[in-house]
mmCIF file of all heavy atoms in Angstrom:
data_model
loop_
_atom_site.group_PDB
_atom_site.id
_atom_site.type_symbol
_atom_site.label_atom_id
_atom_site.label_comp_id
_atom_site.label_asym_id
_atom_site.label_seq_id
_atom_site.Cartn_x
_atom_site.Cartn_y
_atom_site.Cartn_z
ATOM 1 N N GLY A 16 -2.259 20.355 -16.753
ATOM 2 C CA GLY A 16 -1.219 20.037 -15.782
ATOM 3 C C GLY A 16 0.006 20.906 -15.954
ATOM 4 O O GLY A 16 0.607 21.359 -14.979
ATOM 5 N N ARG A 17 0.365 21.177 -17.206
ATOM 6 C CA ARG A 17 1.499 22.060 -17.480
ATOM 7 C C ARG A 17 1.237 23.459 -16.938
ATOM 8 O O ARG A 17 2.080 24.041 -16.259
ATOM 9 C CB ARG A 17 1.760 22.122 -18.977
ATOM 10 C CG ARG A 17 2.904 23.051 -19.343
ATOM 11 C CD ARG A 17 2.885 23.443 -20.800
ATOM 12 N NE ARG A 17 1.738 24.299 -21.041
ATOM 13 C CZ ARG A 17 0.943 24.215 -22.101
ATOM 14 N NH1 ARG A 17 1.148 23.315 -23.016
ATOM 15 N NH2 ARG A 17 -0.076 25.012 -22.243
ATOM 16 N N GLU A 18 0.060 23.993 -17.212
ATOM 17 C CA GLU A 18 -0.267 25.338 -16.729
ATOM 18 C C GLU A 18 -0.376 25.369 -15.212
ATOM 19 O O GLU A 18 0.037 26.340 -14.579
ATOM 20 C CB GLU A 18 -1.571 25.824 -17.366
ATOM 21 C CG GLU A 18 -1.432 26.139 -18.820
ATOM 22 C CD GLU A 18 -0.341 27.165 -19.103
ATOM 23 O OE1 GLU A 18 -0.227 28.167 -18.355
ATOM 24 O OE2 GLU A 18 0.421 26.966 -20.060
ATOM 25 N N ARG A 19 -0.932 24.333 -14.635
ATOM 26 C CA ARG A 19 -1.060 24.266 -13.180
ATOM 27 C C ARG A 19 0.325 24.217 -12.521
ATOM 28 O O ARG A 19 0.565 24.896 -11.528
ATOM 29 C CB ARG A 19 -1.890 23.033 -12.812
ATOM 30 C CG ARG A 19 -2.007 22.725 -11.362
ATOM 31 C CD ARG A 19 -3.017 23.585 -10.696
ATOM 32 N NE ARG A 19 -3.015 23.268 -9.263
ATOM 33 C CZ ARG A 19 -3.943 23.614 -8.437
ATOM 34 N NH1 ARG A 19 -4.970 24.297 -8.864
ATOM 35 N NH2 ARG A 19 -3.867 23.298 -7.176
ATOM 36 N N LEU A 20 1.222 23.416 -13.072
ATOM 37 C CA LEU A 20 2.575 23.325 -12.521
ATOM 38 C C LEU A 20 3.378 24.605 -12.761
ATOM 39 O O LEU A 20 4.251 24.940 -11.969
ATOM 40 C CB LEU A 20 3.309 22.123 -13.100
ATOM 41 C CG LEU A 20 2.840 20.777 -12.558
ATOM 42 C CD1 LEU A 20 3.370 19.648 -13.403
ATOM 43 C CD2 LEU A 20 3.244 20.615 -11.110
ATOM 44 N N ARG A 21 3.075 25.311 -13.820
ATOM 45 C CA ARG A 21 3.754 26.585 -14.075
ATOM 46 C C ARG A 21 3.258 27.659 -13.105
ATOM 47 O O ARG A 21 4.043 28.416 -12.559
ATOM 48 C CB ARG A 21 3.502 27.035 -15.508
ATOM 49 C CG ARG A 21 4.175 28.362 -15.840
ATOM 50 C CD ARG A 21 3.919 28.769 -17.254
ATOM 51 N NE ARG A 21 4.418 27.705 -18.120
ATOM 52 C CZ ARG A 21 4.325 27.730 -19.439
ATOM 53 N NH1 ARG A 21 3.777 28.740 -20.041
ATOM 54 N NH2 ARG A 21 4.794 26.747 -20.156
ATOM 55 N N ALA A 22 1.954 27.697 -12.883
ATOM 56 C CA ALA A 22 1.375 28.754 -12.061
ATOM 57 C C ALA A 22 1.504 28.477 -10.564
ATOM 58 O O ALA A 22 1.789 29.391 -9.790
ATOM 59 C CB ALA A 22 -0.090 28.945 -12.434
ATOM 60 N N ARG A 23 1.255 27.233 -10.150
ATOM 61 C CA ARG A 23 1.228 26.891 -8.716
ATOM 62 C C ARG A 23 1.950 25.571 -8.453
ATOM 63 O O ARG A 23 1.313 24.579 -8.094
ATOM 64 C CB ARG A 23 -0.219 26.755 -8.260
ATOM 65 C CG ARG A 23 -1.020 28.001 -8.416
ATOM 66 C CD ARG A 23 -2.410 27.775 -7.882
ATOM 67 N NE ARG A 23 -3.210 28.944 -8.139
ATOM 68 C CZ ARG A 23 -4.423 28.916 -8.634
ATOM 69 N NH1 ARG A 23 -4.987 27.762 -8.904
ATOM 70 N NH2 ARG A 23 -5.094 30.024 -8.832
ATOM 71 N N PRO A 24 3.252 25.530 -8.586
ATOM 72 C CA PRO A 24 3.955 24.246 -8.425
ATOM 73 C C PRO A 24 3.906 23.700 -6.997
ATOM 74 O O PRO A 24 3.695 22.500 -6.802
ATOM 75 C CB PRO A 24 5.384 24.552 -8.863
ATOM 76 C CG PRO A 24 5.530 26.017 -8.739
ATOM 77 C CD PRO A 24 4.175 26.604 -8.955
ATOM 78 N N VAL A 25 4.095 24.557 -6.010
ATOM 79 C CA VAL A 25 4.122 24.073 -4.620
ATOM 80 C C VAL A 25 2.734 23.626 -4.188
ATOM 81 O O VAL A 25 2.571 22.576 -3.554
ATOM 82 C CB VAL A 25 4.683 25.167 -3.681
ATOM 83 C CG1 VAL A 25 4.592 24.738 -2.233
ATOM 84 C CG2 VAL A 25 6.117 25.495 -4.051
ATOM 85 N N ARG A 26 1.734 24.388 -4.561
ATOM 86 C CA ARG A 26 0.352 24.024 -4.206
ATOM 87 C C ARG A 26 -0.055 22.700 -4.858
ATOM 88 O O ARG A 26 -0.721 21.868 -4.245
ATOM 89 C CB ARG A 26 -0.571 25.146 -4.649
ATOM 90 C CG ARG A 26 -1.870 25.181 -3.979
ATOM 91 C CD ARG A 26 -2.553 26.469 -4.356
ATOM 92 N NE ARG A 26 -3.789 26.594 -3.622
ATOM 93 C CZ ARG A 26 -4.637 27.555 -3.824
ATOM 94 N NH1 ARG A 26 -4.396 28.487 -4.718
ATOM 95 N NH2 ARG A 26 -5.748 27.599 -3.138
ATOM 96 N N THR A 27 0.355 22.512 -6.097
ATOM 97 C CA THR A 27 0.050 21.265 -6.800
ATOM 98 C C THR A 27 0.766 20.090 -6.143
ATOM 99 O O THR A 27 0.179 19.017 -5.972
ATOM 100 C CB THR A 27 0.463 21.383 -8.280
ATOM 101 O OG1 THR A 27 -0.181 22.522 -8.843
ATOM 102 C CG2 THR A 27 0.088 20.151 -9.064
ATOM 103 N N LEU A 28 2.011 20.293 -5.755
ATOM 104 C CA LEU A 28 2.768 19.251 -5.068
ATOM 105 C C LEU A 28 2.129 18.900 -3.732
ATOM 106 O O LEU A 28 1.983 17.718 -3.391
ATOM 107 C CB LEU A 28 4.209 19.701 -4.865
ATOM 108 C CG LEU A 28 5.112 18.770 -4.077
ATOM 109 C CD1 LEU A 28 5.305 17.464 -4.822
ATOM 110 C CD2 LEU A 28 6.433 19.430 -3.804
ATOM 111 N N LEU A 29 1.723 19.908 -2.968
ATOM 112 C CA LEU A 29 1.093 19.648 -1.670
ATOM 113 C C LEU A 29 -0.258 18.945 -1.831
ATOM 114 O O LEU A 29 -0.596 18.061 -1.044
ATOM 115 C CB LEU A 29 0.934 20.951 -0.887
ATOM 116 C CG LEU A 29 2.240 21.598 -0.425
ATOM 117 C CD1 LEU A 29 1.967 22.944 0.234
ATOM 118 C CD2 LEU A 29 3.003 20.681 0.489
ATOM 119 N N LEU A 30 -1.018 19.325 -2.855
ATOM 120 C CA LEU A 30 -2.291 18.645 -3.121
ATOM 121 C C LEU A 30 -2.048 17.184 -3.472
ATOM 122 O O LEU A 30 -2.728 16.281 -2.969
ATOM 123 C CB LEU A 30 -3.041 19.342 -4.258
ATOM 124 C CG LEU A 30 -4.326 18.682 -4.736
ATOM 125 C CD1 LEU A 30 -5.373 18.661 -3.627
ATOM 126 C CD2 LEU A 30 -4.859 19.396 -5.968
ATOM 127 N N GLY A 31 -1.050 16.930 -4.303
ATOM 128 C CA GLY A 31 -0.713 15.556 -4.667
ATOM 129 C C GLY A 31 -0.241 14.751 -3.478
ATOM 130 O O GLY A 31 -0.577 13.571 -3.338
ATOM 131 N N GLY A 32 0.528 15.368 -2.598
ATOM 132 C CA GLY A 32 0.970 14.675 -1.388
ATOM 133 C C GLY A 32 -0.181 14.380 -0.452
ATOM 134 O O GLY A 32 -0.260 13.297 0.141
ATOM 135 N N ALA A 33 -1.094 15.343 -0.331
ATOM 136 C CA ALA A 33 -2.246 15.153 0.553
ATOM 137 C C ALA A 33 -3.166 14.037 0.051
ATOM 138 O O ALA A 33 -3.798 13.342 0.847
ATOM 139 C CB ALA A 33 -3.034 16.456 0.681
ATOM 140 N N ILE A 34 -3.224 13.848 -1.245
ATOM 141 C CA ILE A 34 -4.050 12.783 -1.808
ATOM 142 C C ILE A 34 -3.261 11.476 -1.902
ATOM 143 O O ILE A 34 -3.764 10.403 -1.571
ATOM 144 C CB ILE A 34 -4.574 13.188 -3.199
ATOM 145 C CG1 ILE A 34 -5.550 14.356 -3.063
ATOM 146 C CG2 ILE A 34 -5.237 12.017 -3.904
ATOM 147 C CD1 ILE A 34 -5.930 14.988 -4.374
ATOM 148 N N GLY A 35 -2.012 11.582 -2.348
ATOM 149 C CA GLY A 35 -1.219 10.393 -2.637
ATOM 150 C C GLY A 35 -0.729 9.629 -1.422
ATOM 151 O O GLY A 35 -0.746 8.397 -1.422
ATOM 152 N N VAL A 36 -0.309 10.330 -0.383
ATOM 153 C CA VAL A 36 0.252 9.640 0.787
ATOM 154 C C VAL A 36 -0.788 8.747 1.471
ATOM 155 O O VAL A 36 -0.501 7.578 1.757
ATOM 156 C CB VAL A 36 0.907 10.645 1.756
ATOM 157 C CG1 VAL A 36 1.258 9.997 3.077
ATOM 158 C CG2 VAL A 36 2.145 11.257 1.119
ATOM 159 N N PRO A 37 -2.009 9.235 1.744
ATOM 160 C CA PRO A 37 -2.997 8.325 2.349
ATOM 161 C C PRO A 37 -3.380 7.152 1.440
ATOM 162 O O PRO A 37 -3.558 6.027 1.923
ATOM 163 C CB PRO A 37 -4.211 9.217 2.615
ATOM 164 C CG PRO A 37 -3.692 10.602 2.615
ATOM 165 C CD PRO A 37 -2.512 10.609 1.704
ATOM 166 N N LEU A 38 -3.481 7.417 0.137
ATOM 167 C CA LEU A 38 -3.799 6.315 -0.776
ATOM 168 C C LEU A 38 -2.664 5.305 -0.841
ATOM 169 O O LEU A 38 -2.902 4.098 -0.910
ATOM 170 C CB LEU A 38 -4.100 6.859 -2.174
ATOM 171 C CG LEU A 38 -5.470 7.501 -2.363
ATOM 172 C CD1 LEU A 38 -5.583 8.116 -3.755
ATOM 173 C CD2 LEU A 38 -6.573 6.490 -2.138
ATOM 174 N N LEU A 39 -1.440 5.800 -0.810
ATOM 175 C CA LEU A 39 -0.281 4.909 -0.805
ATOM 176 C C LEU A 39 -0.252 4.061 0.457
ATOM 177 O O LEU A 39 -0.063 2.838 0.394
ATOM 178 C CB LEU A 39 0.988 5.752 -0.917
ATOM 179 C CG LEU A 39 2.291 5.079 -1.279
ATOM 180 C CD1 LEU A 39 2.203 4.463 -2.667
ATOM 181 C CD2 LEU A 39 3.418 6.079 -1.221
ATOM 182 N N ALA A 40 -0.462 4.697 1.596
ATOM 183 C CA ALA A 40 -0.467 3.959 2.866
ATOM 184 C C ALA A 40 -1.620 2.959 2.916
ATOM 185 O O ALA A 40 -1.448 1.813 3.346
ATOM 186 C CB ALA A 40 -0.559 4.932 4.031
ATOM 187 N N GLY A 41 -2.788 3.381 2.460
ATOM 188 C CA GLY A 41 -3.943 2.483 2.445
ATOM 189 C C GLY A 41 -3.758 1.314 1.496
ATOM 190 O O GLY A 41 -4.124 0.175 1.805
ATOM 191 N N GLY A 42 -3.166 1.588 0.338
ATOM 192 C CA GLY A 42 -2.914 0.517 -0.619
ATOM 193 C C GLY A 42 -1.935 -0.515 -0.082
ATOM 194 O O GLY A 42 -2.162 -1.721 -0.206
ATOM 195 N N PHE A 43 -0.854 -0.044 0.549
ATOM 196 C CA PHE A 43 0.106 -0.978 1.135
ATOM 197 C C PHE A 43 -0.504 -1.740 2.310
ATOM 198 O O PHE A 43 -0.232 -2.926 2.500
ATOM 199 C CB PHE A 43 1.384 -0.258 1.580
ATOM 200 C CG PHE A 43 2.361 -0.052 0.458
ATOM 201 C CD1 PHE A 43 2.765 1.228 0.109
ATOM 202 C CD2 PHE A 43 2.882 -1.119 -0.239
ATOM 203 C CE1 PHE A 43 3.665 1.425 -0.921
ATOM 204 C CE2 PHE A 43 3.784 -0.941 -1.270
ATOM 205 C CZ PHE A 43 4.181 0.350 -1.616
ATOM 206 N N ALA A 44 -1.341 -1.062 3.100
ATOM 207 C CA ALA A 44 -1.991 -1.744 4.225
ATOM 208 C C ALA A 44 -2.928 -2.834 3.717
ATOM 209 O O ALA A 44 -3.009 -3.918 4.306
ATOM 210 C CB ALA A 44 -2.751 -0.734 5.079
ATOM 211 N N LEU A 45 -3.639 -2.557 2.620
ATOM 212 C CA LEU A 45 -4.535 -3.575 2.059
ATOM 213 C C LEU A 45 -3.770 -4.768 1.506
ATOM 214 O O LEU A 45 -4.261 -5.900 1.562
ATOM 215 C CB LEU A 45 -5.414 -2.965 0.973
ATOM 216 C CG LEU A 45 -6.609 -2.152 1.453
ATOM 217 C CD1 LEU A 45 -7.294 -1.473 0.277
ATOM 218 C CD2 LEU A 45 -7.594 -3.025 2.208
ATOM 219 N N THR A 46 -2.595 -4.520 0.953
ATOM 220 C CA THR A 46 -1.835 -5.657 0.423
ATOM 221 C C THR A 46 -1.347 -6.580 1.529
ATOM 222 O O THR A 46 -1.092 -7.752 1.277
ATOM 223 C CB THR A 46 -0.614 -5.188 -0.402
ATOM 224 O OG1 THR A 46 0.247 -4.413 0.430
ATOM 225 C CG2 THR A 46 -1.041 -4.395 -1.616
ATOM 226 N N LYS A 47 -1.217 -6.071 2.753
ATOM 227 C CA LYS A 47 -0.764 -6.878 3.890
ATOM 228 C C LYS A 47 -1.922 -7.415 4.737
ATOM 229 O O LYS A 47 -1.692 -8.175 5.670
ATOM 230 C CB LYS A 47 0.156 -6.048 4.799
ATOM 231 C CG LYS A 47 1.374 -5.516 4.088
ATOM 232 C CD LYS A 47 2.267 -6.624 3.597
ATOM 233 C CE LYS A 47 3.477 -6.051 2.890
ATOM 234 N NZ LYS A 47 4.261 -7.054 2.237
#
């Protein structure tokens, strides 16, 4: 993770957003 964030910080952030946002929305939708 350290090397990935050093080499490709923006790409890693975008990958995390692409995975995290739908899971976050789905998790909150399931709780309701």
Side-chain angles (χ1 to χ4, degrees):
R17 179 198 69 222
E18 289 304 318
R19 174 79 183 195
L20 286 167
R21 180 180 302 179
R23 299 183 185 134
V25 174
R26 201 170 185 186
T27 305
L28 176 65
L29 292 175
L30 175 64
I34 293 170
V36 169
L38 283 175
L39 195 63
F43 277 121
L45 281 173
T46 60
K47 301 297 180 188

